[in-house]
Amino acid sequence: MFRVIDAPTRGVQQVRPRMRNVGIVHVVAALVLGVALTFGTMRGCGGDDVHMLPSAITMSLLVGLAGLAMTLRLPRATAVAPALAAGSSLTLLGGAAAGWLWVAGQPCAGNVLDNEVVTLLLVTASAAAALATALWLLVSRDELEPWQATRGVVLATVAAMTVLVLAIGFAVLLRDTFDTPVAVVAAVAVPWAVALAATGWLRPRPAVAVVTPALLQALWLLAASR
């Protein structure tokens, strides 16, 4: 006589991040960003200061505020705070990419730009850590929910492609009137397009939060160009 015993199959348990831990990571990343941006310099071979990280201080403040909200577990911050941190860190990565392109084109990158390289390394690492943990939190909490199903995703993708084409086209048409290379403009515009495309996969409130940093950076660039 045989006795059959049904036992539940053991599987690999999915590791879910805790909001407070992610918030602490974002607060630390914001502190590193603040120190790097305050004491770091972006100075060319001719001794002139170059603004390769537009509105970076504002973006680091947004990462810090989002991290503080997650650490304190403020009400209704479950999706908005990670989305805001993701949008801010994404724009910081775009600025860092523009900075790396600028450094690669400098003939004195071996000596004068040592401080610039350290600054870019700190900004890139901190922004990447904030972006990865924010996305991890959003995905693990099932915050990805396309609004209006396929229609919302398509509209957001079309809008993102429009922004990218307009930004790069503007840079190509006016490349003879200003000194900013087209590749640098593309490095800044790509995060805008990615953030806009992400709105099609998020609920309304986190969608607004993820695109807000890109809008603030665009307004900052418009004000600085006048």
Side-chain angles (χ1 to χ4, degrees):
M1 181 176 181
F2 297 95
R3 179 179 297 178
V4 179
I5 300 177
D6 292 333
T9 303
R10 291 185 179 181
V12 179
Q13 295 182 353
Q14 183 179 4
V15 179
R16 292 174 60 90
R18 295 184 178 181
M19 178 172 286
R20 179 171 295 176
N21 295 340
V22 174
I24 293 174
V25 171
H26 286 189
V27 171
V28 173
L31 292 176
V32 174
L33 286 169
V35 172
L37 296 171
T38 301
F39 297 101
T41 58
M42 298 295 291
R43 187 167 298 171
C45 298
D48 53 330
D49 293 332
V50 181
H51 300 287
M52 284 290 106
L53 297 168
S55 67
I57 295 294
T58 302
M59 298 299 108
S60 62
L61 287 176
L62 291 178
V63 173
L65 290 175
L68 188 61
M70 288 185 285
T71 303
L72 300 178
R73 294 182 179 178
L74 296 182
R76 299 182 180 180
T78 303
V80 175
L84 182 63
S88 303
S89 56
L90 186 61
T91 55
L92 283 169
L93 284 176
W100 286 115
L101 291 174
W102 173 76
V103 166
Q106 297 298 310
C108 54
N111 41 41
V112 178
L113 298 179
D114 289 341
N115 194 11
E116 285 73 9
V117 171
V118 173
T119 301
L120 289 174
L121 282 174
L122 291 176
V123 171
T124 303
S126 301
L131 179 60
T133 51
L135 292 177
W136 185 23
L137 187 61
L138 288 172
V139 173
S140 66
R141 292 178 177 267
D142 296 328
E143 296 294 345
L144 298 181
E145 181 179 336
W147 56 275
Q148 296 185 1
T150 306
R151 183 184 303 176
V153 175
V154 172
L155 289 176
T157 303
V158 171
M161 294 301 298
T162 302
V163 168
L164 186 61
V165 170
L166 288 177
I168 297 179
F170 178 81
V172 171
L173 291 176
L174 299 181
R175 61 182 176 181
D176 295 332
T177 60
F178 60 91
D179 298 331
T180 306
V182 176
V184 173
V185 176
V188 176
V190 166
W192 299 347
V194 172
L196 188 56
T199 59
W201 296 90
L202 296 171
R203 297 188 180 99
R205 292 182 62 191
V208 173
V210 78
V211 79
T212 297
L215 294 175
L216 292 177
Q217 188 184 58
L219 293 175
W220 187 92
L221 288 172
L222 289 175
S225 62
R226 294 183 177 179

